[in-house]
Amino acid sequence: MSPAFKVVIPARYGSTRLPGKPLLSIAGKPMIVHVCERAQEAGADEVVVATDDTRIVDAVTRLGIKAVMTRPDHQSGTERIAEVAALAGWSGDTVVVNLQGDEPLIPPQYIRDAAYALAAQNHAGIATLAARIDDSDEIFNPNSVKVVLDKAGYALYFSRAPIPWDRAHFGAESKSMPVDSLYLRHIGLYAYTVDFLNRYCGWEASPIEAIESLEQLRILWHGDAVLVKTVDKTPEAGVDTEADLLRVEKALVTSRLF
């Protein structure tokens, strides 16, 4: 029997580059609706949109999707999800996937992968995804977050720097891909237990997350484990610009996902 899980989709109306981003139309539907459909296709037993704006609530509830108004003062989507879990009274062992509201092309299988990986073990309260890097330029791109794993598949460190540093290969001033590369790109899709969420929201920020601008480093700093499930490839990027909207709409029309 497949483990049960819930998906919470944080969706703020405000956006510097694309105001009202969750409600922008893609192939005739608001973007947030496409994201909800990916969550439903993944087999979640409950999908909830966590938002700070009644317009987003109206857009999803008229289609039968649950929405919860959350406080406007949250510093992260993780905190917003913790509030949803508390309001719903979910038990501490409930598995919750954090799906970003601007990811309409996320493969439903990846949502399941994160949830199932977390449910299959009891060492970590959080699971995330990574994919192998096959392009040397990506290794040196600070917008591509790298992760190094231990032998059991738990994260040792996340960084914008090229880790692990291949001293012999890159020391020779080569920027080609090393043979049998261990480089993995982190994919920002998370599954948590509610117990973990409650612990996380009580932690102070860490110096290393400020240096790297990577919130997930707070988890390692405070001594918790992060399980990393490796998947075949990095998914299509989400929506941040008008050009992204056109790219995503074309992909949705081509794949007939709308």
Side-chain angles (χ1 to χ4, degrees):
M1 182 177 178
S2 298
F5 65 94
K6 304 180 188 297
V7 173
V8 179
I9 305 169
R12 293 178 61 253
Y13 187 85
S15 171
T16 303
R17 285 183 283 187
L18 284 176
K21 182 166 69 168
L23 299 182
L24 294 177
S25 180
I26 301 177
K29 296 179 187 176
M31 178 168 62
I32 188 65
V33 172
H34 287 285
V35 178
C36 291
E37 289 172 347
R38 301 295 86 75
Q40 292 170 330
E41 291 160 6
D45 63 330
E46 189 171 359
V47 178
V48 182
V49 174
T51 186
D52 59 356
D53 195 281
T54 56
R55 287 166 289 189
I56 296 174
V57 172
D58 292 342
V60 299
T61 55
R62 71 168 61 107
L63 298 173
I65 299 165
K66 185 176 181 179
V68 174
M69 285 287 292
T70 53
R71 299 197 318 268
D73 59 341
H74 289 304
Q75 299 301 305
S76 68
T78 309
E79 292 179 2
R80 200 174 299 279
I81 291 169
E83 183 186 355
V84 170
L87 290 171
W90 292 337
S91 64
D93 60 354
T94 301
V95 173
V96 185
V97 176
N98 175 353
L99 178 58
Q100 297 303 307
D102 57 4
E103 297 279 356
L105 296 179
I106 191 75
Q109 179 63 51
Y110 285 13
I111 301 170
R112 287 193 296 274
D113 284 342
Y116 290 5
L118 181 63
Q121 53 81 68
N122 55 20
H123 179 56
I126 178 172
T128 189
L129 306 179
R132 178 171 170 160
I133 296 175
D134 294 317
D135 179 357
S136 60
D137 288 342
E138 191 172 352
I139 295 175
F140 292 91
N141 182 354
N143 295 318
S144 170
V145 177
K146 276 67 68 175
V147 59
V148 175
L149 310 182
D150 68 13
K151 67 178 182 180
Y154 294 90
L156 292 171
Y157 194 70
F158 298 87
S159 182
R160 298 182 183 278
I163 58 170
W165 178 256
D166 190 327
R167 181 182 178 191
H169 186 80
F170 295 128
E173 298 185 354
S174 171
K175 286 198 172 182
S176 62
M177 282 296 297
V179 177
D180 298 326
S181 169
L182 297 175
Y183 290 92
L184 293 171
R185 176 171 182 164
H186 177 229
I187 298 167
L189 177 72
Y190 297 95
Y192 327 91
T193 63
V194 170
D195 277 340
F196 170 85
L197 280 170
N198 293 335
R199 288 201 308 279
Y200 179 89
C201 289
W203 290 338
E204 62 182 13
S206 66
I208 55 174
E209 75 177 271
I211 291 170
E212 294 258 20
S213 190
L214 295 175
E215 186 184 341
Q216 62 268 41
L217 288 174
R218 186 181 309 183
I219 303 163
L220 301 182
W221 175 263
H222 285 277
D224 265 36
V226 179
L227 177 65
V228 181
K229 166 72 174 177
T230 302
V231 295
D232 290 339
K233 64 180 181 178
T234 301
E236 288 274 355
V239 175
D240 282 320
T241 65
E242 292 282 354
D244 289 336
L245 275 174
L246 296 175
R247 171 181 54 81
V248 168
E249 181 166 59
K250 181 178 180 180
L252 285 168
V253 170
T254 301
S255 62
R256 300 179 183 274
L257 285 174
F258 62 98

